[in-house]
Amino acid sequence: MQKRFVLILPLLLGAALLPANPPPVAQASAVPSPAEQVAKLTGPDSINDTEARFQLKATDLGILWDNGSGEILTAFGDSYGSGWTGPGGGAGDPATIDWRCNLLFRSLDRNLADGMTLDSAAEDWPGHAKQFLDCKKVNRDEHTVIPTAGISVGKRQYVQYMSVNYWGPAGSWFTNYSGFAYSDDNGETWTKDPKAVWPNTKAWDDNFQMNALVRNGGYLYMIGTPNGRFGNAHLARVPEKQVLSKNAWRYWDGKAWSSRVSAAVPIAVGPISEVSVQWNAYLGKYLMMYLDEQRASVVLRSSASLTGPWSGEQVVVRGADFPGLYGTFMHPWSSGPDLYFTMSQWDPYNVFLMHTKLSDDGLKTNLVTDPGFEAQAGPTPTPPWQLNGQGGIDKTDLGHSGTNNAFLRDSIASHQLQQNVAVRPYHRYRLSAWVRTAENNTETVLGVRTLRGKVLAEKPGGAHPEYTKVSVEVETGRESLIQPYAGFFGHGQDVWFQLDDVVLEELE
């Protein structure tokens, strides 16, 4: 198997436990190795020969969960038979495409090093995988119904699904609602609970339209995002025995669990889509995997607590190596340093099993993504970094560490580099960075502000002819999203400012 890229972004991780637990302690970070493609799981030339065995030629998503009885259940999204011509969903002769909005398969395979065998499917007749959740197939009403997560509680299987009203521009779609369906016969038959639904808003911005599911301590947690690929992640929970009781759900408001869905605050900054979250026993922390649409990459965050703080993004798979990648879901039977996950590609519109190795670095959580600018491929800063003014990326070993650093240069106005970060409200943080400037650059600044522009903390400074570590501490108050920034104020002279190794960490 060919390794596809070299990982260059350092990830720093620390600990913050759920509020009822002891104070946070240092945690090792989750550092993924370059990802490998293990096997094609669906479609023609796949290890499971799903077209011949189940009349499944093309599909996506591959959502995985342990059914509690020694099997992995796998839910797929929009799926097609022999009439599919591709690329992507819905391409082919309507008379023979055999469109099913969703499918369910089962696997007993514990040896993932050579792929994942699909042993059986929920079928409506022998050799034909059936649609297990009904959908209208009416555009601008209910175009499709797609699973987004699954989990078992006792012998009951739960699926979280979204009812898609219509597909918008690339990366955008609009949902009617999300909801729970359940099965008591290992996925053969399903019931959509009409009361366990989260209706979307008129503005299409409800925060729990696409969800991941995690069990812990007698609760079922739901990590939610809005429809499409550009929202933040939010958190809710319910006692395991009350999953279908909508009124029993509580939403994390940054300080406590609220009964109001509108009280939920972001726990991780988007763009986040098709999110997968699971506890990793090897590292002793939660992992969050998803597609970052702006970076065209599958990324990983980690945290000792579902409430955060979540580390900055670590790239796992790049779209440049696997064009059209999306929909990554971690395999529950991954063990030790080996992390297996499914991944979809738009062309050939099928699902693959992927693998990466995890390691630790023993450092505290850095909430900043790409802190050393090593993931910047071009001369101009790209997301999640934002350039406000004149500047770019140095790639000539001018940095404090590594190869790259960011720079600002001009003679007038204000010039800054900034990034949006999710934090825990009512906690203290330290922002630090290594800065080097022209000798005549005397009006430099490092600070933290709200996304509305209110300064929460700021450290003014003078010139730094040699790289100098500058730090400032901040109390977040009620804020769950903040914007660290660094730069200078021009004063009529040609001045420059270099920035590297930016760290935002929670203080104990």
Side-chain angles (χ1 to χ4, degrees):
M1 292 176 289
Q2 182 182 3
K3 292 189 175 181
R4 299 288 183 162
F5 69 93
V6 178
L7 187 68
I8 54 179
L9 171 62
L11 176 66
L12 308 175
L13 181 72
L17 303 178
L18 290 171
N21 290 333
V25 295
Q27 296 283 321
S29 65
V31 182
S33 70
E36 306 170 315
Q37 185 181 103
V38 179
K40 186 181 182 184
L41 300 184
T42 62
D45 304 318
S46 71
I47 62 170
N48 290 298
D49 195 15
T50 59
E51 185 177 10
R53 294 172 62 209
F54 304 105
Q55 297 185 41
L56 173 60
K57 186 177 181 181
T59 189
D60 71 351
L61 297 188
I63 296 156
L64 307 167
W65 75 96
D66 188 325
N67 73 348
S69 301
E71 284 184 310
I72 292 294
L73 301 189
T74 306
F76 295 106
D78 287 311
S79 303
Y80 306 95
S82 60
W84 176 86
T85 58
D93 182 353
T96 60
I97 198 171
D98 192 14
W99 174 25
R100 288 147 285 173
C101 295
N102 44 74
L103 300 177
L104 186 79
F105 283 71
R106 307 179 186 91
S107 174
L108 295 163
D109 193 351
R110 289 185 175 271
N111 180 20
L112 302 176
D114 60 355
M116 184 180 76
T117 302
L118 299 175
D119 298 292
S120 65
E123 297 177 322
D124 42 13
W125 62 80
H128 186 264
K130 71 178 179 181
Q131 178 176 286
F132 72 96
L133 296 176
D134 62 286
C135 64
K136 295 181 182 178
K137 299 182 180 178
V138 178
N139 194 37
R140 302 280 175 165
D141 180 358
E142 183 179 76
H143 184 85
T144 187
V145 169
I146 297 179
T148 64
I151 202 160
S152 63
V153 179
K155 297 296 183 182
R156 173 167 282 188
Q157 310 301 319
Y158 290 100
V159 158
Q160 247 286 331
Y161 65 91
M162 59 178 175
S163 168
V164 177
N165 185 287
Y166 73 98
W167 300 106
S172 300
W173 55 89
F174 302 89
T175 55
N176 301 305
Y177 62 90
S178 69
F180 275 97
Y182 63 91
S183 171
D184 294 321
D185 56 8
N186 200 30
E188 280 298 315
T189 59
W190 292 81
T191 300
K192 289 181 182 176
D193 191 300
K195 296 181 179 179
V197 297
W198 280 256
N200 210 345
T201 66
K202 292 182 179 179
W204 310 98
D205 62 359
D206 178 76
N207 291 319
F208 292 92
Q209 292 301 292
M210 301 173 62
N211 302 296
L213 301 173
V214 179
R215 289 172 60 195
N216 180 53
Y219 288 92
L220 177 63
Y221 290 83
M222 185 163 66
I223 299 89
T225 64
N227 48 212
R229 289 185 171 152
F230 301 101
N232 301 321
H234 301 75
L235 184 65
R237 77 176 188 183
V238 72
E240 287 183 355
K241 296 181 180 180
Q242 296 179 274
V243 173
L244 300 178
S245 176
K246 179 74 179 297
N247 291 335
W249 282 86
R250 297 293 181 266
Y251 305 89
W252 182 245
D253 68 4
K255 193 174 183 180
W257 296 97
S258 171
S259 61
R260 296 181 298 109
V261 65
S262 61
V265 299
I267 59 169
V269 169
I272 296 173
S273 69
E274 297 122 15
V275 63
S276 172
V277 179
Q278 83 176 204
W279 174 256
N280 186 275
Y282 175 72
L283 296 175
K285 61 181 58 66
Y286 291 96
L287 302 179
M288 179 189 295
M289 180 179 282
Y290 58 89
L291 173 68
D292 183 329
E293 179 83 350
Q294 286 183 332
R295 303 178 76 188
S297 295
V298 172
V299 299
L300 190 72
R301 295 183 188 262
S302 49
S303 174
S305 166
L306 288 168
T307 61
W310 287 90
S311 70
E313 293 178 350
Q314 183 72 293
V315 172
V316 184
V317 193
R318 299 184 188 280
D321 302 308
F322 294 88
L325 81 179
Y326 67 103
T328 50
F329 300 93
M330 292 177 281
H331 197 295
W333 292 350
S334 298
S335 62
D338 295 299
L339 180 65
Y340 289 91
F341 56 97
T342 55
M343 185 180 80
S344 300
Q345 285 184 269
W346 184 249
D347 185 4
Y349 197 67
N350 270 289
V351 178
F352 299 82
L353 186 68
M354 306 290 291
H355 169 259
T356 187
K357 278 192 175 292
L358 301 172
S359 58
D360 299 346
D361 67 12
L363 300 176
K364 289 192 66 176
T365 303
N366 185 3
L367 280 63
V368 174
T369 294
D370 194 13
F373 303 94
E374 301 297 328
Q376 299 291 316
T380 304
T382 56
W385 285 107
Q386 307 160 29
L387 174 62
N388 184 3
Q390 301 296 317
I393 301 295
D394 284 322
K395 294 179 172 292
T396 51
D397 295 315
L398 296 176
H400 171 256
S401 68
T403 301
N404 293 359
N405 65 272
F407 74 89
L408 301 164
R409 185 166 187 173
D410 201 12
S411 59
I412 58 174
S414 172
H415 303 270
Q416 295 175 358
L417 285 152
Q418 59 208 35
Q419 182 177 138
N420 298 341
V421 177
V423 292
R424 298 202 298 172
Y426 307 103
H427 283 72
R428 289 194 64 78
Y429 290 81
R430 179 187 296 117
L431 173 67
S432 60
W434 288 87
V435 174
R436 182 167 63 180
T437 73
E439 292 185 358
N440 61 339
N441 193 354
T442 58
E443 297 185 49
T444 59
V445 65
L446 179 77
V448 177
R449 58 191 168 218
T450 70
L451 269 58
R452 301 179 301 277
K454 178 183 177 181
V455 174
L456 299 176
E458 193 172 75
K459 179 71 174 291
H464 302 287
E466 301 296 332
Y467 268 111
T468 304
K469 187 176 182 179
V470 182
S471 300
V472 62
E473 294 186 6
V474 60
E475 164 66 48
T476 57
R478 68 179 64 184
E479 301 298 325
S480 59
L481 294 175
I482 61 173
Q483 188 176 79
Y485 61 93
F488 68 88
F489 301 94
H491 45 81
Q493 303 179 67
D494 180 25
V495 295
W496 52 265
F497 177 102
Q498 292 175 316
L499 181 70
D500 205 0
D501 297 331
V502 185
V503 176
L504 180 68
E505 58 184 347
E506 186 173 274
L507 300 176
E508 298 179 12

